[in-house]
Amino acid sequence: MATKAGTELATFGAGCFWGTEKFFRKQFGANLISALVGYMGGASNATYQDVCTGTTNHAEVLQLSYEPNKVAYADLVRFFFRMHDPTSLNRQGNDRGTQYRSVIFTHTNEQQKIAEQIRDEVQASGKVKGQIVTQIQSATGLQFFTGEPYHQRYLENNPDGYCNHRLYF
């Protein structure tokens, strides 16, 4: 996704992208230009069914477009660590597999530094039990593939749908 002047991208994988989208929209909604669920980390375009095989190296992610003068990247990262279990390797709740891994795809060197700093702060704070396993990976050379239309705003359109996300601290 191309960004407009004065906007930035942030990409987070925190387990099932339905809940990730729901929680970020609830927290930052008016300050987001867009929030799209999709896939990132693998080499080629894939469908949801392909990603669920665990063979594509894609993670289910939420890609945000935002104006940094309205919301700070650091605030997005702090919220990311609050709304899922960053100590759980390749799973969140009942969802298991590499597509559910905890990952931050950074779009700039500054985002990389901020994500690493906040990860270290959260680990040192004692607010999470166990070692944080979140991957922090450059998005350079990777492509975001937008998820199928029925996945966009899924929990908004299906309020009784499955969601295992919550605020941990």
Side-chain angles (χ1 to χ4, degrees):
M1 175 193 321
T3 58
K4 295 179 185 176
T7 66
E8 291 187 14
L9 294 176
T11 307
F12 301 104
C16 178
F17 49 25
W18 297 344
T20 306
E21 179 188 28
K22 174 185 174 181
F23 273 71
F24 271 90
R25 281 188 184 277
K26 183 177 180 183
Q27 183 72 20
F28 298 102
N31 293 314
L32 301 176
I33 295 168
S34 69
L36 293 171
V37 299
Y39 317 106
M40 195 167 188
S44 62
N45 198 358
T47 66
Y48 178 71
Q49 288 72 25
D50 295 334
V51 171
C52 286
T53 67
T55 62
T56 67
N57 202 38
H58 281 297
E60 289 189 17
V61 297
L62 174 66
Q63 188 162 86
L64 306 171
S65 176
Y66 67 99
E67 295 177 64
N69 63 338
K70 291 186 178 179
V71 62
Y73 181 73
D75 292 339
L76 297 171
V77 175
R78 281 188 187 92
F79 186 73
F80 163 82
F81 281 108
R82 287 186 63 210
M83 53 77 56
H84 82 295
D85 179 1
T87 68
S88 183
L89 183 63
N90 297 330
R91 88 178 157 78
Q92 290 294 312
N94 294 327
D95 295 327
R96 290 174 168 41
T98 56
Q99 72 269 28
Y100 300 116
R101 67 188 178 269
S102 177
V103 60
I104 301 171
F105 290 103
T106 58
H107 296 273
T108 65
N109 290 337
E110 183 67 17
Q111 283 187 356
Q112 182 86 19
K113 289 176 193 171
I114 291 168
E116 290 171 353
Q117 178 185 4
I118 292 172
R119 176 204 54 209
D120 295 347
E121 287 173 7
V122 171
Q123 185 69 67
S125 74
K127 292 179 180 177
V128 296
K129 306 299 181 220
Q131 185 66 36
I132 291 175
V133 296
T134 302
Q135 297 172 355
I136 300 174
Q137 181 179 351
S138 172
T140 302
L142 297 175
Q143 187 173 346
F144 170 77
F145 298 99
T146 304
E148 295 80 359
Y150 70 93
H151 286 300
Q152 307 303 325
R153 295 181 177 257
Y154 184 86
L155 291 173
E156 186 177 312
N157 296 321
N158 300 278
D160 294 327
Y162 171 75
C163 180
N164 63 26
H165 290 84
R166 63 182 175 87
L167 294 181
Y168 283 79
F169 59 91

